[in-house]
Amino acid sequence: AEKQYITIAPGDVLASAGQPIKDDTLELLTLEHQTYLEQLGLPRRIAHSFAVLGMFVALAVLCGAYVWHYERKLLDDWRRLGITLTLVVVTVGLSVMAAADTVRAELVPLVVMGMTLSIAFQREMALLFSAAAALIIVVATGQGLSQFMILNATVVSAILLMGSVRNRRKLIYVGMGVGVAAMLTT
């Protein structure tokens, strides 16, 4: 297919407020944003990269401080620490890859990670690590606060509903509760 070019004058409205955004309008807005980012000078790009890096470092420090104060035994067991950190990294990677889909498939690895951490550790650690992973996923995929709220509300509901798992039926109830939470938040 041939490329089509559209001329848009400064001040032209790309999307009207209060109206649903159609696929072609969303594509146009995405292209406009990409063009804006490409036109930024090198100093602004570097500043933006350092801001994102700073946020990730702050998240790592926050998670590390929690582990240092409340899960010190995790630091004594390097194997378990490595497995936990690998779980977080793999979860973020899988969620970012799945985020291109429209069915919110990025929720699956995140919820599984949250549930696994809540079984293996305290709920607080599962909540903290899941929130950090959700924030990284949202930043990596270029999504906004609303997507972060959806991811976070869903994984928080899974962690809080977990309690003690005594049978498979409990997992089914948790899964249904997570589905309802994701639907209501969305």
Side-chain angles (χ1 to χ4, degrees), residues 51-173:
V52 171
L53 178 65
M55 182 182 63
F56 290 159
V57 168
L59 280 172
V61 168
L62 176 65
C63 292
Y66 178 84
V67 170
W68 178 265
H69 288 288
Y70 300 106
E71 291 287 342
R72 183 77 59 100
K73 64 182 180 242
L74 182 61
L75 296 176
D76 296 333
D77 187 353
W78 286 95
R79 182 176 170 268
R80 195 167 177 199
L81 177 64
I83 290 171
T84 303
L85 294 177
T86 301
L87 175 66
V88 173
V89 171
V90 167
T91 298
V92 169
L94 288 173
S95 293
V96 167
M97 287 189 298
D101 201 353
T102 58
V103 294
R104 301 220 180 274
E106 68 270 18
L107 286 171
V108 175
L110 189 62
V111 168
V112 169
M113 181 194 80
M115 291 169 66
T116 303
L117 289 177
S118 72
I119 291 170
F121 302 102
Q122 296 179 24
R123 280 185 181 171
E124 292 83 3
M125 182 172 156
L127 291 168
L128 176 63
F129 277 54
S130 297
L135 186 58
I136 293 169
I137 292 163
V138 168
V139 170
T141 57
Q143 297 171 347
L145 180 62
S146 61
Q147 182 66 13
F148 173 72
M149 294 305 295
I150 292 167
L151 292 176
N152 212 28
T154 304
V155 74
V156 165
S157 67
I159 292 168
L160 295 179
L161 289 172
M162 279 298 288
S164 61
V165 180
R166 293 190 182 97
N167 55 35
R168 284 184 228 135
R169 188 178 307 159
K170 173 78 174 190
L171 288 175
I172 292 170
Y173 291 139

Side-chain angles (χ1 to χ4, degrees), residues 35-48:
T35 303
Y36 168 75
L37 292 177
E38 289 169 3
Q39 291 176 353
L40 288 178
L42 185 61
R44 292 222 27 217
R45 285 186 192 176
I46 291 173
H48 176 73

